[in-house]
Amino acid sequence: MKFFLDTANLEQIKEAQALGVIDGVTTNPSLMAKEGIAGKQNILDHYVKICNIVDGDVSAEVISTDFEGMIKEGEELAALHPQIVVKVPVIKDGIKAIKYLSSKGIRTNCTLVFSAGQALLAAKAGATYVSPFIGRLDDNSTDGIELIRQIVDIYNYYDFGTMVLAASIRHTMHIIKCLEVGADVATCPLDAILGLLKHPLTDLGLQKFLEDYNKLNK
Ligand code: G3P
């Protein structure tokens, strides 16, 4: 199971990389905008900066919504760095673009997935990753984890090679539940990853160990 960091913030990416448990990064246009990254060249440069910090895959999303535009952008993004995975929305032209890009050996991440049917088409088109957005489903009174379970089962049953990348993760229990149902990757905000460390008994236990040590070692 892999952990990706879901951010375009370079400081957070450095912090997570230093922790030693990060296998990649996912970004999207909203996350790039949050960091104030604007203008084509700045955006491309930012992806390269991210690739130079982390060891694993870095998802960079296309902005076009038509086939020609998506493959042009996809080829340009893929040429930036070997770690780049081209993120493509699960729309009709997006599926065609994923098929084309995968036939050229360009890895893809099919994004904005909210149903098993969309995940099926992404896998048939040869997507490297499929990104179901579990938090946004939960926000709309639909069980996001259940969708992950459904897609994992379908992919396993039919032996699809596409990896299930659980996205829109909001908290630590999302991560744990994704593991339980067999997601290949969880892409998370740094807070959710660091949240996995939290336990009051760990804090109390450490405090007691240090107090006992200090009693005899002043
Ligand atoms: O990578 C896309 C996804 O993680 C979006 O998350 O929190 O905006 O639903 P969120």
Side-chain angles (χ1 to χ4, degrees):
M1 187 265 178
K2 290 186 175 180
F3 255 148
F4 289 177
L5 195 66
D6 196 25
T7 187
N9 182 287
L10 298 182
E11 291 313 309
Q12 286 190 14
I13 295 168
K14 283 178 196 160
E15 185 179 340
Q17 176 68 16
L19 196 61
V21 296
I22 291 300
D23 304 296
V25 167
T26 51
T27 65
N28 62 42
S30 302
L31 293 172
M32 295 291 275
K34 196 172 161 192
E35 300 309 315
I37 316 297
K40 187 177 170 187
Q41 197 53 52
N42 289 335
I43 290 171
L44 298 181
D45 290 348
H46 200 77
Y47 289 139
V48 174
K49 284 181 195 165
I50 295 174
C51 290
N52 288 335
I53 298 170
V54 291
D55 296 323
D57 291 347
V58 174
S59 287
E61 189 157 341
V62 300
I63 302 302
S64 305
T65 53
D66 63 296
F67 173 73
E68 294 297 339
M70 281 192 259
I71 62 170
K72 185 169 176 283
E73 267 190 75
E75 284 173 337
E76 198 172 0
L77 288 168
L80 280 179
H81 197 284
Q83 286 167 241
I84 292 283
V85 175
V86 179
K87 213 170 177 185
V88 179
V90 64
I91 56 177
K92 197 168 161 189
D93 278 28
I95 293 298
K96 282 167 67 181
I98 288 169
K99 181 76 184 175
Y100 174 87
L101 292 168
S102 63
S103 77
K104 299 283 172 199
I106 293 175
R107 295 175 309 137
T108 55
N109 175 355
C110 185
T111 190
L112 288 168
V113 167
F114 293 94
S115 74
Q118 292 174 326
L120 168 67
L121 291 178
K124 288 292 286 178
T128 312
Y129 297 101
V130 66
S131 289
F133 278 29
I134 63 173
R136 292 189 195 184
L137 278 171
D138 287 358
D139 291 344
N140 282 277
S141 312
T142 303
D143 187 348
I145 297 295
E146 176 54 22
L147 177 62
I148 300 291
R149 188 201 59 70
Q150 200 181 11
I151 297 171
V152 167
D153 283 354
I154 291 168
Y155 282 8
N156 285 343
Y157 193 83
Y158 290 100
D159 216 12
F160 284 119
T162 302
M163 287 176 276
V164 180
L165 193 170
S168 186
I169 283 178
R170 303 279 168 77
H171 48 71
T172 56
M173 279 313 289
H174 268 158
I175 300 175
I176 301 299
K177 291 287 172 191
C178 280
L179 297 184
E180 285 178 356
V181 298
D184 299 290
V185 189
T187 189
C188 323
L190 185 57
D191 281 354
I193 295 174
L194 295 178
L196 294 170
L197 283 170
K198 286 186 194 164
H199 202 290
L201 292 179
T202 304
D203 298 338
L204 284 172
L206 182 58
Q207 191 184 346
K208 179 80 169 71
F209 285 158
L210 295 178
E211 279 169 8
D212 289 344
Y213 173 86
N214 286 329
K215 276 181 204 160
L216 298 181
N217 295 277
K218 290 234 162 131

